[in-house]
Amino acid sequence: MKKIFFAFLFTAIMSDLSAQSTETILLYPDGTPGLKAGVNIPEDSKTTDGITRVKDVTQPALFVYPAKKKTSDATVIICPGGGYGILAIDHEGHDIAKWFNDRGVSVFVLKYRLPQEELFDNDEIRPLQDAQQAIRIVRKNASKYGISPDKVGLMGFSAGGHLASTAATHFKTQVGEITDPNISVRPDFSLLIYPVITFSDKFTHFGSRDNLIGKNPPIEKMELYSNEKQVTKDTPPTFLISTTDDGVQPENSIAYFLACKKNKVPVEMHIYEKGGHGYGLKKRGRGPVETWAARMEDWLKDRKLMK
């Protein structure tokens, strides 16, 4: 019995070690743009209630997760959620990367900057700037990682879904101090999991909106960041997950779905009756929503992005 137990333990440990970040890429090795002079705040990372929360990010980075047995030349850049106030970087980042690795897909987890005015000038553009820079870096190094530069997807959870949908609809403008007209920042597909989409008063998640563009923002800015209003025929194919009992109301996903449908953008949406918010891949008796990743796997296979 002991031999069986230790064999099982060894297998579990090796399985966990088989999907680890092998490299960290700083987005701005020569200095973070927009960082205010004299700022020297250490990054804050705390784990409570089983959730790791990261904030005060001044060195945004990509964590590289190469698949041990790669079966696809597609890749995904994963944007954790956290209401633009923290990054839930484990269960909406690193754990998701391992899921992709197990299915033969090499991926990247994005540790992006939060809109903190005490740290950055023009703080509201910094998350999008980081997402666009991440896409540039991945495309520029596609051959190194054995991926196709035209199969780079962006995945986002909650407010990370707002960031991913912003990148998927605002790509014609490269924001911030660093631009490259020779590298597109348009993701090739997007995976939006219980996403914040709209900044309209009726259905927005006020915490995310307040953190990104402030309380009582002008109508023009609310419209700009209501990404269902920014969808065009050039918006990339999209997969959406929501639940009816989510504090981030499913009308966010529905509005984006309808905008994609109107503009003939390939789109698939699954709305579950229950499940709440922030579940990631955790199994906690939430019901059918716990199989959402299998639906995403089906979608990715149908689009020849996963085998």
Side-chain angles (χ1 to χ4, degrees):
M1 182 63 72
K2 287 184 178 179
K3 287 183 179 179
I4 293 173
F5 171 76
F6 284 116
F8 173 79
L9 181 63
F10 177 78
T11 301
I13 292 172
M14 292 308 294
S15 175
D16 186 60
L17 291 176
S18 69
Q20 297 285 343
S21 174
T22 61
E23 181 185 357
T24 301
I25 306 171
L26 295 181
L27 299 192
Y28 312 104
D30 298 324
T32 304
L35 184 64
K36 290 184 175 180
V39 168
N40 188 22
I41 297 176
E43 185 173 296
D44 186 353
S45 178
K46 291 184 175 68
T47 301
T48 56
D49 303 323
I51 298 175
T52 300
R53 297 171 173 86
V54 175
K55 63 179 182 176
D56 300 331
V57 175
T58 57
Q59 288 277 14
L62 279 169
F63 299 100
V64 185
Y65 279 84
K68 298 295 183 183
K69 295 180 180 179
K70 194 160 70 68
T71 60
S72 172
D73 61 349
T75 192
V76 177
I77 300 168
I78 303 166
C79 304
Y84 284 124
I86 58 99
L87 301 178
I89 203 160
D90 280 350
H91 79 284
E92 293 178 350
H94 299 305
D95 292 349
I96 308 299
K98 295 170 186 176
W99 182 91
F100 277 102
N101 280 179
D102 287 345
R103 288 154 181 80
V105 181
S106 296
V107 296
F108 303 80
V109 174
L110 176 60
K111 182 175 69 173
Y112 58 91
R113 287 173 292 169
L114 299 164
Q116 296 177 260
E117 62 180 355
E118 71 274 20
L119 300 182
F120 309 109
D121 294 319
N122 200 8
D123 59 301
E124 77 178 53
I125 73 165
R126 302 308 169 184
L128 179 57
Q129 182 179 41
D130 291 352
Q132 291 185 342
Q133 178 71 350
I135 292 170
R136 290 188 201 101
I137 289 171
V138 170
R139 286 204 166 114
K140 194 177 293 185
N141 293 280
S143 60
K144 173 181 177 180
Y145 298 108
I147 58 178
S148 173
D150 60 358
K151 292 182 182 178
V152 178
L154 208 56
M155 181 181 200
F157 294 78
S158 192
H162 185 267
L163 175 56
S165 65
T166 304
T169 53
H170 294 238
F171 53 84
K172 290 185 178 178
T173 300
Q174 297 193 25
V175 301
E177 300 84 348
I178 298 172
T179 62
D180 187 341
N182 298 313
I183 301 179
S184 170
V185 293
R186 174 189 179 274
D188 296 299
F189 59 96
S190 57
L191 308 168
L192 308 179
I193 314 304
Y194 41 85
V196 178
I197 296 289
T198 189
F199 274 6
S200 68
D201 284 340
K202 191 171 183 180
F203 295 120
T204 194
H205 177 254
F206 282 97
S208 298
R209 190 180 83 175
D210 292 352
N211 284 334
L212 188 65
I213 59 175
K215 295 183 178 180
N216 303 312
I219 294 293
E220 295 77 11
K221 194 160 284 191
M222 289 166 55
E223 294 274 320
L224 178 66
Y225 286 104
S226 290
N227 292 326
E228 79 281 7
K229 297 179 181 293
Q230 308 304 327
V231 172
T232 70
K233 63 180 179 58
D234 297 320
T235 299
T238 300
F239 178 87
L240 295 141
I241 290 289
S242 281
T243 59
T244 58
D245 63 350
D246 193 340
V248 175
Q249 298 178 70
E251 283 83 355
N252 282 265
S253 289
I254 292 168
Y256 200 80
F257 172 87
L258 291 174
C260 286
K261 182 174 180 290
K262 178 181 177 181
N263 286 276
K264 296 181 170 52
V265 173
V267 62
E268 181 169 317
M269 176 176 63
H270 297 263
I271 298 181
Y272 294 87
E273 178 186 357
K274 58 185 179 179
H277 189 75
Y279 37 84
L281 295 172
K282 294 178 180 178
K283 307 296 184 185
R284 290 184 175 175
R286 294 175 186 261
V289 72
E290 293 185 353
T291 66
W292 71 264
R295 307 289 75 75
M296 181 176 71
E297 184 174 352
D298 291 340
W299 187 83
L300 290 166
K301 288 178 177 177
D302 187 57
R303 301 198 69 80
K304 309 296 190 257
L305 297 168
M306 183 184 283
K307 290 186 178 178

